[in-house]
Every structure is written in C-alpha cells, then in structure tokens.
Amino acid sequence: MPAITLSAARPFDLDCTLDCGQLFRWQRRDGAWVGVVGDAVIAARQEGPALLFEGADERRIERYFQLDLDLPAILASIDRDPFIHAAIARHRGLRLVRQDPWECLVSYICAQNASIPFIRCMIENMARCFGAPLPSPWGTHHAFPGPEALASRELFDLRQCSLGYRAGYVLDAARRVCGDPGWVERVGALSFEEARAELMAFRGVGRKVADCILLFAFQKFESFPVDVWIRRVMREHYLPGGGPDRGVSCREYDAIAGFARDYFGEYAGYAQEYLFADARAARKK
DNA sequence: GGCCAGGCCTTTG
DNA sequence: CAAAGGCATGGC
C-alpha cells in the first residue's frame, strides 16, 4: 500500500478531514476510510505520520487533500485568540478538501435544512440510481452522476431519491449547467464577490450554499459560511446580541461573515471549519 | 413522536 | 426593507 509521509511541517489528520462534515461520500470501514472521488473508489488510513492509500496515485491524493498548502502558516494566521486556538489544537491537521464543483453544488443545494446523515443519504441515492457503477476491492460503489445524467430525468425520478422540495433545484441546476459548459472556469476566474453572485443565480443557492461551494470547490478561502452552528458559536464568543434565535437573517449573515473576514483574515474559511468541527465535537459529548 | 437539520423562496407587514 | 411562513424528509 503506497504511503505519503507527513510531518509537523506538513500536518494532516485524516479522521478530522473526512469526518468534519465537508464531505458526504466517505465511510469508515474497520479502521480505514473508503470513499468515492470522481470515478475512483479510494481507501485510506493513517498510521501516525504515514498516510496510506489505494485506488488513486499519489499526485491525485495530494491534490485532493491539498497537502501542498502550508497549513501551519494558515493556522498561525487565523490563531487570533484562546477560543480559536483551542479549536485548532483539538483538530490540528484538518484540511479543506478540493471538491468537484458540480458534485459540491448539488451536495450543498441538498444540504439546506437537512442533517448530515440525511444529506449523505440523498447523495448516495442519486449515485446509486443515476451514477456509473464502480467495482472495487471494497465492493461496488457508484460515481456521482454528471449534470447530463440528471438533466435527462424527470422531477419524479429525483424525488425518488428523497430530495423532497430540493429535487426541483437540482434538476434546474443540472439543466442550467448542461447549457453552460465552462461555468466552472468562468466562476473560478472571478473574484469572491462576483463568483458568489454568479452561484446565487442558481435557484436554491443562497448565501450559505454559495459560500460553501466557493470554499470547498473553488478554494476561495476568505469564504465564511454561516449556518446555525457557526451562528451559535459566533454569538457566544465573538458577536454577542442579535435578533431572534431562528434562522439567520441576511443582515446578520453579512455582519458575521464580514466580521470573520476582518478578524481572521484571508483564510477565514479555515477558521470556520475548525469552529464548525469543534462545535460538532462538543455536541457529541 | 416531536424536534431539528451546514436554508431558501415567497409572501406579508 | 425586514420579518415571518412554508417546505419534504429522515435521524435521533
């Protein structure tokens, strides 16, 4: 089994990275992780400083996990106070993964008003129904269906995947993307604000979903998605006060995200992930 | 068996 | 412009 060697200068924590809620297609299987990335079924596990993997070559693994990024420098830049410091210490090695833009778009459209286990369920359903089968030593998995594979379906077919009212959004997105090849390059070349506006033109994509896509698929690291968890954390530790404890209004969203970009800097998105991971871990206990 | 979930869209005040 | 209601579904 090939391996990549990690170090204090190049930290990485596979468990934190795969379990922090940014990805939906990895599962633990007796000590290892198995996941679908593009058309590859990948198995990986970590033994101390060794990242062991199968199913893809080393270049692809390094690119996927963004191991070339100087994580210590990024973490130093967001380490602004004791609270974030503790979150960083508890999850050091968590990295943002380079996700496929199309899959990420659909995943986070589905993520609205859904729990993480339910999101995983919706995505697995779509893959099983409409994605190419991918035989592997760890069983047959399915690739996430491309936009063409979904655009040719009817609303009813997507509803069968438990998407609920999100089915229409996904179908719209599929048809829109099919009629606009090159959207990835175009969005990727835009500034954060412009790219965000472009993504919010998709039905079912608001601030939060757009920010997730920009952070996870377009490496716009200043993006700071504000969900109910992050809102809670920010209220308790950074921006006390605010309106009713229900949803996140546009104004509050902009206030929180704006503050975070000023406060944490150009890698605010990394701060967001560490805060999110820490909040979720705290709830489990 | 409620409650809540990595919200968004539409309508109303 | 801000605030509230509706929304499909499943896990806990």
PDB file of all heavy atoms in Angstrom, chain A residues 188-225:
ATOM      1  N   GLY A 188     -14.500  30.233 -11.464  1.00  0.00           N
ATOM      2  CA  GLY A 188     -13.208  30.144 -10.807  1.00  0.00           C
ATOM      3  C   GLY A 188     -12.333  31.350 -11.043  1.00  0.00           C
ATOM      4  O   GLY A 188     -11.489  31.695 -10.211  1.00  0.00           O
ATOM      5  N   ALA A 189     -12.542  32.007 -12.176  1.00  0.00           N
ATOM      6  CA  ALA A 189     -11.694  33.153 -12.520  1.00  0.00           C
ATOM      7  C   ALA A 189     -12.205  34.443 -11.879  1.00  0.00           C
ATOM      8  O   ALA A 189     -11.503  35.452 -11.885  1.00  0.00           O
ATOM      9  CB  ALA A 189     -11.627  33.310 -14.033  1.00  0.00           C
ATOM     10  N   LEU A 190     -13.410  34.424 -11.328  1.00  0.00           N
ATOM     11  CA  LEU A 190     -13.990  35.644 -10.765  1.00  0.00           C
ATOM     12  C   LEU A 190     -13.472  35.903  -9.351  1.00  0.00           C
ATOM     13  O   LEU A 190     -12.960  35.014  -8.692  1.00  0.00           O
ATOM     14  CB  LEU A 190     -15.519  35.518 -10.719  1.00  0.00           C
ATOM     15  CG  LEU A 190     -16.239  35.395 -12.063  1.00  0.00           C
ATOM     16  CD1 LEU A 190     -17.722  35.121 -11.851  1.00  0.00           C
ATOM     17  CD2 LEU A 190     -16.041  36.647 -12.895  1.00  0.00           C
ATOM     18  N   SER A 191     -13.658  37.120  -8.911  1.00  0.00           N
ATOM     19  CA  SER A 191     -13.360  37.454  -7.520  1.00  0.00           C
ATOM     20  C   SER A 191     -14.380  36.767  -6.626  1.00  0.00           C
ATOM     21  O   SER A 191     -15.414  36.281  -7.095  1.00  0.00           O
ATOM     22  CB  SER A 191     -13.455  38.957  -7.315  1.00  0.00           C
ATOM     23  OG  SER A 191     -14.817  39.365  -7.392  1.00  0.00           O
ATOM     24  N   PHE A 192     -14.099  36.763  -5.339  1.00  0.00           N
ATOM     25  CA  PHE A 192     -15.011  36.120  -4.401  1.00  0.00           C
ATOM     26  C   PHE A 192     -16.431  36.668  -4.521  1.00  0.00           C
ATOM     27  O   PHE A 192     -17.395  35.906  -4.671  1.00  0.00           O
ATOM     28  CB  PHE A 192     -14.488  36.303  -2.972  1.00  0.00           C
ATOM     29  CG  PHE A 192     -15.462  35.882  -1.915  1.00  0.00           C
ATOM     30  CD1 PHE A 192     -15.817  34.550  -1.756  1.00  0.00           C
ATOM     31  CD2 PHE A 192     -16.040  36.821  -1.082  1.00  0.00           C
ATOM     32  CE1 PHE A 192     -16.722  34.160  -0.791  1.00  0.00           C
ATOM     33  CE2 PHE A 192     -16.950  36.437  -0.113  1.00  0.00           C
ATOM     34  CZ  PHE A 192     -17.291  35.112   0.034  1.00  0.00           C
ATOM     35  N   GLU A 193     -16.570  37.972  -4.482  1.00  0.00           N
ATOM     36  CA  GLU A 193     -17.896  38.582  -4.518  1.00  0.00           C
ATOM     37  C   GLU A 193     -18.618  38.282  -5.826  1.00  0.00           C
ATOM     38  O   GLU A 193     -19.810  37.972  -5.844  1.00  0.00           O
ATOM     39  CB  GLU A 193     -17.792  40.102  -4.331  1.00  0.00           C
ATOM     40  CG  GLU A 193     -17.245  40.525  -2.978  1.00  0.00           C
ATOM     41  CD  GLU A 193     -18.259  40.318  -1.850  1.00  0.00           C
ATOM     42  OE1 GLU A 193     -19.422  39.991  -2.161  1.00  0.00           O
ATOM     43  OE2 GLU A 193     -17.872  40.461  -0.679  1.00  0.00           O
ATOM     44  N   GLU A 194     -17.886  38.383  -6.921  1.00  0.00           N
ATOM     45  CA  GLU A 194     -18.503  38.137  -8.228  1.00  0.00           C
ATOM     46  C   GLU A 194     -18.899  36.678  -8.378  1.00  0.00           C
ATOM     47  O   GLU A 194     -19.984  36.361  -8.885  1.00  0.00           O
ATOM     48  CB  GLU A 194     -17.529  38.521  -9.347  1.00  0.00           C
ATOM     49  CG  GLU A 194     -17.250  40.010  -9.424  1.00  0.00           C
ATOM     50  CD  GLU A 194     -16.088  40.322 -10.354  1.00  0.00           C
ATOM     51  OE1 GLU A 194     -15.176  39.468 -10.496  1.00  0.00           O
ATOM     52  OE2 GLU A 194     -16.082  41.411 -10.935  1.00  0.00           O
ATOM     53  N   ALA A 195     -18.016  35.804  -7.935  1.00  0.00           N
ATOM     54  CA  ALA A 195     -18.303  34.367  -8.043  1.00  0.00           C
ATOM     55  C   ALA A 195     -19.521  34.015  -7.203  1.00  0.00           C
ATOM     56  O   ALA A 195     -20.363  33.213  -7.600  1.00  0.00           O
ATOM     57  CB  ALA A 195     -17.089  33.555  -7.586  1.00  0.00           C
ATOM     58  N   ARG A 196     -19.621  34.646  -6.061  1.00  0.00           N
ATOM     59  CA  ARG A 196     -20.748  34.387  -5.183  1.00  0.00           C
ATOM     60  C   ARG A 196     -22.056  34.810  -5.838  1.00  0.00           C
ATOM     61  O   ARG A 196     -23.057  34.072  -5.811  1.00  0.00           O
ATOM     62  CB  ARG A 196     -20.532  35.151  -3.889  1.00  0.00           C
ATOM     63  CG  ARG A 196     -21.460  34.783  -2.795  1.00  0.00           C
ATOM     64  CD  ARG A 196     -21.278  35.795  -1.700  1.00  0.00           C
ATOM     65  NE  ARG A 196     -21.750  35.329  -0.428  1.00  0.00           N
ATOM     66  CZ  ARG A 196     -22.178  36.171   0.506  1.00  0.00           C
ATOM     67  NH1 ARG A 196     -22.155  37.466   0.294  1.00  0.00           N
ATOM     68  NH2 ARG A 196     -22.606  35.704   1.644  1.00  0.00           N
ATOM     69  N   ALA A 197     -22.046  35.969  -6.451  1.00  0.00           N
ATOM     70  CA  ALA A 197     -23.244  36.435  -7.140  1.00  0.00           C
ATOM     71  C   ALA A 197     -23.619  35.467  -8.264  1.00  0.00           C
ATOM     72  O   ALA A 197     -24.797  35.173  -8.485  1.00  0.00           O
ATOM     73  CB  ALA A 197     -23.010  37.843  -7.696  1.00  0.00           C
ATOM     74  N   GLU A 198     -22.607  34.982  -8.958  1.00  0.00           N
ATOM     75  CA  GLU A 198     -22.846  34.045 -10.060  1.00  0.00           C
ATOM     76  C   GLU A 198     -23.511  32.763  -9.548  1.00  0.00           C
ATOM     77  O   GLU A 198     -24.467  32.267 -10.125  1.00  0.00           O
ATOM     78  CB  GLU A 198     -21.510  33.718 -10.730  1.00  0.00           C
ATOM     79  CG  GLU A 198     -21.621  32.915 -11.985  1.00  0.00           C
ATOM     80  CD  GLU A 198     -21.842  33.786 -13.218  1.00  0.00           C
ATOM     81  OE1 GLU A 198     -22.040  35.016 -13.075  1.00  0.00           O
ATOM     82  OE2 GLU A 198     -21.797  33.227 -14.313  1.00  0.00           O
ATOM     83  N   LEU A 199     -23.019  32.245  -8.444  1.00  0.00           N
ATOM     84  CA  LEU A 199     -23.579  31.000  -7.901  1.00  0.00           C
ATOM     85  C   LEU A 199     -24.991  31.216  -7.365  1.00  0.00           C
ATOM     86  O   LEU A 199     -25.852  30.337  -7.468  1.00  0.00           O
ATOM     87  CB  LEU A 199     -22.676  30.452  -6.793  1.00  0.00           C
ATOM     88  CG  LEU A 199     -21.330  29.903  -7.254  1.00  0.00           C
ATOM     89  CD1 LEU A 199     -20.501  29.439  -6.061  1.00  0.00           C
ATOM     90  CD2 LEU A 199     -21.516  28.758  -8.244  1.00  0.00           C
ATOM     91  N   MET A 200     -25.228  32.398  -6.808  1.00  0.00           N
ATOM     92  CA  MET A 200     -26.546  32.653  -6.234  1.00  0.00           C
ATOM     93  C   MET A 200     -27.613  32.824  -7.311  1.00  0.00           C
ATOM     94  O   MET A 200     -28.808  32.927  -7.000  1.00  0.00           O
ATOM     95  CB  MET A 200     -26.501  33.873  -5.304  1.00  0.00           C
ATOM     96  CG  MET A 200     -25.792  33.556  -3.992  1.00  0.00           C
ATOM     97  SD  MET A 200     -25.566  34.975  -2.901  1.00  0.00           S
ATOM     98  CE  MET A 200     -27.250  35.380  -2.483  1.00  0.00           C
ATOM     99  N   ALA A 201     -27.204  32.813  -8.561  1.00  0.00           N
ATOM    100  CA  ALA A 201     -28.174  32.844  -9.649  1.00  0.00           C
ATOM    101  C   ALA A 201     -28.833  31.471  -9.823  1.00  0.00           C
ATOM    102  O   ALA A 201     -29.883  31.361 -10.456  1.00  0.00           O
ATOM    103  CB  ALA A 201     -27.497  33.277 -10.949  1.00  0.00           C
ATOM    104  N   PHE A 202     -28.219  30.421  -9.258  1.00  0.00           N
ATOM    105  CA  PHE A 202     -28.881  29.114  -9.268  1.00  0.00           C
ATOM    106  C   PHE A 202     -30.044  29.153  -8.290  1.00  0.00           C
ATOM    107  O   PHE A 202     -29.908  29.656  -7.173  1.00  0.00           O
ATOM    108  CB  PHE A 202     -27.911  28.021  -8.811  1.00  0.00           C
ATOM    109  CG  PHE A 202     -26.888  27.621  -9.834  1.00  0.00           C
ATOM    110  CD1 PHE A 202     -25.674  28.265  -9.909  1.00  0.00           C
ATOM    111  CD2 PHE A 202     -27.145  26.573 -10.709  1.00  0.00           C
ATOM    112  CE1 PHE A 202     -24.717  27.886 -10.850  1.00  0.00           C
ATOM    113  CE2 PHE A 202     -26.205  26.185 -11.651  1.00  0.00           C
ATOM    114  CZ  PHE A 202     -24.990  26.846 -11.727  1.00  0.00           C
ATOM    115  N   ARG A 203     -31.168  28.606  -8.712  1.00  0.00           N
ATOM    116  CA  ARG A 203     -32.286  28.500  -7.786  1.00  0.00           C
ATOM    117  C   ARG A 203     -31.928  27.531  -6.673  1.00  0.00           C
ATOM    118  O   ARG A 203     -31.376  26.453  -6.948  1.00  0.00           O
ATOM    119  CB  ARG A 203     -33.538  28.018  -8.501  1.00  0.00           C
ATOM    120  CG  ARG A 203     -34.637  29.070  -8.553  1.00  0.00           C
ATOM    121  CD  ARG A 203     -35.779  28.728  -9.495  1.00  0.00           C
ATOM    122  NE  ARG A 203     -36.165  27.323  -9.479  1.00  0.00           N
ATOM    123  CZ  ARG A 203     -37.070  26.823  -8.638  1.00  0.00           C
ATOM    124  NH1 ARG A 203     -37.670  27.591  -7.765  1.00  0.00           N
ATOM    125  NH2 ARG A 203     -37.382  25.546  -8.693  1.00  0.00           N
ATOM    126  N   GLY A 204     -32.199  27.896  -5.438  1.00  0.00           N
ATOM    127  CA  GLY A 204     -31.870  27.029  -4.319  1.00  0.00           C
ATOM    128  C   GLY A 204     -30.490  27.286  -3.752  1.00  0.00           C
ATOM    129  O   GLY A 204     -30.067  26.615  -2.821  1.00  0.00           O
ATOM    130  N   VAL A 205     -29.786  28.269  -4.332  1.00  0.00           N
ATOM    131  CA  VAL A 205     -28.466  28.636  -3.816  1.00  0.00           C
ATOM    132  C   VAL A 205     -28.534  30.040  -3.243  1.00  0.00           C
ATOM    133  O   VAL A 205     -28.699  31.013  -3.977  1.00  0.00           O
ATOM    134  CB  VAL A 205     -27.392  28.577  -4.913  1.00  0.00           C
ATOM    135  CG1 VAL A 205     -26.037  29.037  -4.355  1.00  0.00           C
ATOM    136  CG2 VAL A 205     -27.275  27.163  -5.470  1.00  0.00           C
ATOM    137  N   GLY A 206     -28.447  30.140  -1.936  1.00  0.00           N
ATOM    138  CA  GLY A 206     -28.387  31.433  -1.258  1.00  0.00           C
ATOM    139  C   GLY A 206     -26.979  31.690  -0.769  1.00  0.00           C
ATOM    140  O   GLY A 206     -26.026  31.062  -1.224  1.00  0.00           O
ATOM    141  N   ARG A 207     -26.846  32.617   0.167  1.00  0.00           N
ATOM    142  CA  ARG A 207     -25.518  32.975   0.687  1.00  0.00           C
ATOM    143  C   ARG A 207     -24.755  31.773   1.209  1.00  0.00           C
ATOM    144  O   ARG A 207     -23.598  31.550   0.870  1.00  0.00           O
ATOM    145  CB  ARG A 207     -25.686  33.960   1.831  1.00  0.00           C
ATOM    146  CG  ARG A 207     -26.008  35.353   1.414  1.00  0.00           C
ATOM    147  CD  ARG A 207     -26.396  36.175   2.648  1.00  0.00           C
ATOM    148  NE  ARG A 207     -26.391  37.595   2.363  1.00  0.00           N
ATOM    149  CZ  ARG A 207     -27.261  38.185   1.566  1.00  0.00           C
ATOM    150  NH1 ARG A 207     -28.180  37.473   0.931  1.00  0.00           N
ATOM    151  NH2 ARG A 207     -27.203  39.483   1.358  1.00  0.00           N
ATOM    152  N   LYS A 208     -25.406  31.043   2.088  1.00  0.00           N
ATOM    153  CA  LYS A 208     -24.729  29.957   2.772  1.00  0.00           C
ATOM    154  C   LYS A 208     -24.245  28.889   1.805  1.00  0.00           C
ATOM    155  O   LYS A 208     -23.092  28.447   1.853  1.00  0.00           O
ATOM    156  CB  LYS A 208     -25.685  29.353   3.813  1.00  0.00           C
ATOM    157  CG  LYS A 208     -25.416  27.933   4.244  1.00  0.00           C
ATOM    158  CD  LYS A 208     -24.095  27.797   4.978  1.00  0.00           C
ATOM    159  CE  LYS A 208     -23.967  26.402   5.576  1.00  0.00           C
ATOM    160  NZ  LYS A 208     -23.969  25.324   4.585  1.00  0.00           N
ATOM    161  N   VAL A 209     -25.126  28.455   0.915  1.00  0.00           N
ATOM    162  CA  VAL A 209     -24.760  27.401  -0.029  1.00  0.00           C
ATOM    163  C   VAL A 209     -23.667  27.899  -0.972  1.00  0.00           C
ATOM    164  O   VAL A 209     -22.688  27.204  -1.236  1.00  0.00           O
ATOM    165  CB  VAL A 209     -25.998  26.921  -0.804  1.00  0.00           C
ATOM    166  CG1 VAL A 209     -25.603  26.001  -1.949  1.00  0.00           C
ATOM    167  CG2 VAL A 209     -26.957  26.199   0.138  1.00  0.00           C
ATOM    168  N   ALA A 210     -23.803  29.123  -1.452  1.00  0.00           N
ATOM    169  CA  ALA A 210     -22.778  29.682  -2.337  1.00  0.00           C
ATOM    170  C   ALA A 210     -21.427  29.728  -1.627  1.00  0.00           C
ATOM    171  O   ALA A 210     -20.396  29.373  -2.205  1.00  0.00           O
ATOM    172  CB  ALA A 210     -23.183  31.079  -2.796  1.00  0.00           C
ATOM    173  N   ASP A 211     -21.428  30.149  -0.377  1.00  0.00           N
ATOM    174  CA  ASP A 211     -20.166  30.241   0.358  1.00  0.00           C
ATOM    175  C   ASP A 211     -19.518  28.881   0.551  1.00  0.00           C
ATOM    176  O   ASP A 211     -18.294  28.747   0.484  1.00  0.00           O
ATOM    177  CB  ASP A 211     -20.397  30.924   1.715  1.00  0.00           C
ATOM    178  CG  ASP A 211     -20.562  32.435   1.568  1.00  0.00           C
ATOM    179  OD1 ASP A 211     -20.255  32.958   0.476  1.00  0.00           O
ATOM    180  OD2 ASP A 211     -20.994  33.088   2.538  1.00  0.00           O
ATOM    181  N   CYS A 212     -20.327  27.872   0.800  1.00  0.00           N
ATOM    182  CA  CYS A 212     -19.775  26.518   0.918  1.00  0.00           C
ATOM    183  C   CYS A 212     -19.123  26.083  -0.384  1.00  0.00           C
ATOM    184  O   CYS A 212     -18.018  25.528  -0.385  1.00  0.00           O
ATOM    185  CB  CYS A 212     -20.871  25.524   1.304  1.00  0.00           C
ATOM    186  SG  CYS A 212     -21.334  25.595   3.043  1.00  0.00           S
ATOM    187  N   ILE A 213     -19.791  26.318  -1.492  1.00  0.00           N
ATOM    188  CA  ILE A 213     -19.241  25.903  -2.781  1.00  0.00           C
ATOM    189  C   ILE A 213     -17.937  26.660  -3.071  1.00  0.00           C
ATOM    190  O   ILE A 213     -16.963  26.081  -3.544  1.00  0.00           O
ATOM    191  CB  ILE A 213     -20.267  26.141  -3.906  1.00  0.00           C
ATOM    192  CG1 ILE A 213     -21.534  25.320  -3.650  1.00  0.00           C
ATOM    193  CG2 ILE A 213     -19.675  25.792  -5.259  1.00  0.00           C
ATOM    194  CD1 ILE A 213     -22.733  25.782  -4.465  1.00  0.00           C
ATOM    195  N   LEU A 214     -17.915  27.937  -2.760  1.00  0.00           N
ATOM    196  CA  LEU A 214     -16.710  28.727  -3.012  1.00  0.00           C
ATOM    197  C   LEU A 214     -15.550  28.244  -2.158  1.00  0.00           C
ATOM    198  O   LEU A 214     -14.397  28.220  -2.597  1.00  0.00           O
ATOM    199  CB  LEU A 214     -16.983  30.207  -2.731  1.00  0.00           C
ATOM    200  CG  LEU A 214     -17.942  30.855  -3.723  1.00  0.00           C
ATOM    201  CD1 LEU A 214     -18.329  32.251  -3.264  1.00  0.00           C
ATOM    202  CD2 LEU A 214     -17.318  30.913  -5.117  1.00  0.00           C
ATOM    203  N   LEU A 215     -15.861  27.840  -0.941  1.00  0.00           N
ATOM    204  CA  LEU A 215     -14.807  27.386  -0.037  1.00  0.00           C
ATOM    205  C   LEU A 215     -14.315  25.988  -0.388  1.00  0.00           C
ATOM    206  O   LEU A 215     -13.115  25.727  -0.418  1.00  0.00           O
ATOM    207  CB  LEU A 215     -15.332  27.410   1.404  1.00  0.00           C
ATOM    208  CG  LEU A 215     -14.354  27.038   2.515  1.00  0.00           C
ATOM    209  CD1 LEU A 215     -13.152  27.968   2.519  1.00  0.00           C
ATOM    210  CD2 LEU A 215     -15.054  27.060   3.865  1.00  0.00           C
ATOM    211  N   PHE A 216     -15.251  25.082  -0.666  1.00  0.00           N
ATOM    212  CA  PHE A 216     -14.903  23.677  -0.830  1.00  0.00           C
ATOM    213  C   PHE A 216     -14.510  23.307  -2.253  1.00  0.00           C
ATOM    214  O   PHE A 216     -13.779  22.349  -2.462  1.00  0.00           O
ATOM    215  CB  PHE A 216     -16.061  22.786  -0.389  1.00  0.00           C
ATOM    216  CG  PHE A 216     -16.455  22.968   1.058  1.00  0.00           C
ATOM    217  CD1 PHE A 216     -17.786  22.983   1.435  1.00  0.00           C
ATOM    218  CD2 PHE A 216     -15.485  23.131   2.037  1.00  0.00           C
ATOM    219  CE1 PHE A 216     -18.144  23.151   2.766  1.00  0.00           C
ATOM    220  CE2 PHE A 216     -15.834  23.300   3.369  1.00  0.00           C
ATOM    221  CZ  PHE A 216     -17.171  23.310   3.731  1.00  0.00           C
ATOM    222  N   ALA A 217     -15.016  24.015  -3.227  1.00  0.00           N
ATOM    223  CA  ALA A 217     -14.755  23.618  -4.618  1.00  0.00           C
ATOM    224  C   ALA A 217     -13.929  24.643  -5.392  1.00  0.00           C
ATOM    225  O   ALA A 217     -13.322  24.309  -6.396  1.00  0.00           O
ATOM    226  CB  ALA A 217     -16.069  23.372  -5.356  1.00  0.00           C
ATOM    227  N   PHE A 218     -13.927  25.878  -4.936  1.00  0.00           N
ATOM    228  CA  PHE A 218     -13.202  26.909  -5.686  1.00  0.00           C
ATOM    229  C   PHE A 218     -12.046  27.521  -4.896  1.00  0.00           C
ATOM    230  O   PHE A 218     -11.419  28.471  -5.359  1.00  0.00           O
ATOM    231  CB  PHE A 218     -14.170  28.000  -6.148  1.00  0.00           C
ATOM    232  CG  PHE A 218     -15.085  27.552  -7.251  1.00  0.00           C
ATOM    233  CD1 PHE A 218     -16.368  27.113  -6.988  1.00  0.00           C
ATOM    234  CD2 PHE A 218     -14.640  27.548  -8.578  1.00  0.00           C
ATOM    235  CE1 PHE A 218     -17.207  26.687  -8.017  1.00  0.00           C
ATOM    236  CE2 PHE A 218     -15.469  27.127  -9.607  1.00  0.00           C
ATOM    237  CZ  PHE A 218     -16.754  26.692  -9.330  1.00  0.00           C
ATOM    238  N   GLN A 219     -11.790  26.993  -3.714  1.00  0.00           N
ATOM    239  CA  GLN A 219     -10.641  27.431  -2.928  1.00  0.00           C
ATOM    240  C   GLN A 219     -10.641  28.944  -2.707  1.00  0.00           C
ATOM    241  O   GLN A 219      -9.594  29.584  -2.733  1.00  0.00           O
ATOM    242  CB  GLN A 219      -9.318  26.975  -3.578  1.00  0.00           C
ATOM    243  CG  GLN A 219      -9.117  25.472  -3.523  1.00  0.00           C
ATOM    244  CD  GLN A 219     -10.019  24.722  -4.494  1.00  0.00           C
ATOM    245  OE1 GLN A 219     -10.048  25.038  -5.681  1.00  0.00           O
ATOM    246  NE2 GLN A 219     -10.778  23.758  -4.004  1.00  0.00           N
ATOM    247  N   LYS A 220     -11.852  29.486  -2.499  1.00  0.00           N
ATOM    248  CA  LYS A 220     -11.942  30.895  -2.097  1.00  0.00           C
ATOM    249  C   LYS A 220     -11.920  30.897  -0.564  1.00  0.00           C
ATOM    250  O   LYS A 220     -12.971  30.847   0.086  1.00  0.00           O
ATOM    251  CB  LYS A 220     -13.229  31.537  -2.621  1.00  0.00           C
ATOM    252  CG  LYS A 220     -13.441  31.390  -4.122  1.00  0.00           C
ATOM    253  CD  LYS A 220     -12.588  32.356  -4.921  1.00  0.00           C
ATOM    254  CE  LYS A 220     -13.006  32.359  -6.391  1.00  0.00           C
ATOM    255  NZ  LYS A 220     -12.013  33.038  -7.254  1.00  0.00           N
ATOM    256  N   PHE A 221     -10.726  30.955  -0.013  1.00  0.00           N
ATOM    257  CA  PHE A 221     -10.575  30.686   1.415  1.00  0.00           C
ATOM    258  C   PHE A 221     -11.080  31.811   2.313  1.00  0.00           C
ATOM    259  O   PHE A 221     -11.157  31.651   3.521  1.00  0.00           O
ATOM    260  CB  PHE A 221      -9.113  30.356   1.731  1.00  0.00           C
ATOM    261  CG  PHE A 221      -8.623  29.115   1.060  1.00  0.00           C
ATOM    262  CD1 PHE A 221      -7.533  29.136   0.209  1.00  0.00           C
ATOM    263  CD2 PHE A 221      -9.280  27.905   1.265  1.00  0.00           C
ATOM    264  CE1 PHE A 221      -7.089  27.980  -0.415  1.00  0.00           C
ATOM    265  CE2 PHE A 221      -8.841  26.745   0.643  1.00  0.00           C
ATOM    266  CZ  PHE A 221      -7.738  26.785  -0.205  1.00  0.00           C
ATOM    267  N   GLU A 222     -11.402  32.958   1.746  1.00  0.00           N
ATOM    268  CA  GLU A 222     -11.990  34.017   2.569  1.00  0.00           C
ATOM    269  C   GLU A 222     -13.476  33.772   2.818  1.00  0.00           C
ATOM    270  O   GLU A 222     -14.098  34.483   3.616  1.00  0.00           O
ATOM    271  CB  GLU A 222     -11.779  35.385   1.917  1.00  0.00           C
ATOM    272  CG  GLU A 222     -12.577  35.610   0.638  1.00  0.00           C
ATOM    273  CD  GLU A 222     -11.806  35.229  -0.605  1.00  0.00           C
ATOM    274  OE1 GLU A 222     -11.273  34.097  -0.659  1.00  0.00           O
ATOM    275  OE2 GLU A 222     -11.743  36.053  -1.544  1.00  0.00           O
ATOM    276  N   SER A 223     -14.030  32.788   2.135  1.00  0.00           N
ATOM    277  CA  SER A 223     -15.436  32.476   2.321  1.00  0.00           C
ATOM    278  C   SER A 223     -15.697  31.960   3.730  1.00  0.00           C
ATOM    279  O   SER A 223     -14.957  31.130   4.251  1.00  0.00           O
ATOM    280  CB  SER A 223     -15.852  31.421   1.289  1.00  0.00           C
ATOM    281  OG  SER A 223     -17.192  31.060   1.479  1.00  0.00           O
ATOM    282  N   PHE A 224     -16.764  32.438   4.349  1.00  0.00           N
ATOM    283  CA  PHE A 224     -17.082  32.078   5.730  1.00  0.00           C
ATOM    284  C   PHE A 224     -18.562  31.715   5.831  1.00  0.00           C
ATOM    285  O   PHE A 224     -19.402  32.545   6.188  1.00  0.00           O
ATOM    286  CB  PHE A 224     -16.753  33.254   6.660  1.00  0.00           C
ATOM    287  CG  PHE A 224     -16.740  32.909   8.128  1.00  0.00           C
ATOM    288  CD1 PHE A 224     -15.582  32.440   8.733  1.00  0.00           C
ATOM    289  CD2 PHE A 224     -17.882  33.069   8.902  1.00  0.00           C
ATOM    290  CE1 PHE A 224     -15.563  32.136  10.095  1.00  0.00           C
ATOM    291  CE2 PHE A 224     -17.867  32.751  10.260  1.00  0.00           C
ATOM    292  CZ  PHE A 224     -16.701  32.295  10.854  1.00  0.00           C
ATOM    293  N   PRO A 225     -18.908  30.465   5.489  1.00  0.00           N
ATOM    294  CA  PRO A 225     -20.312  30.054   5.530  1.00  0.00           C
ATOM    295  C   PRO A 225     -20.870  30.138   6.949  1.00  0.00           C
ATOM    296  O   PRO A 225     -20.231  29.691   7.896  1.00  0.00           O
ATOM    297  CB  PRO A 225     -20.274  28.600   5.054  1.00  0.00           C
ATOM    298  CG  PRO A 225     -18.972  28.452   4.324  1.00  0.00           C
ATOM    299  CD  PRO A 225     -18.025  29.388   5.008  1.00  0.00           C
TER     300      PRO A 225
END
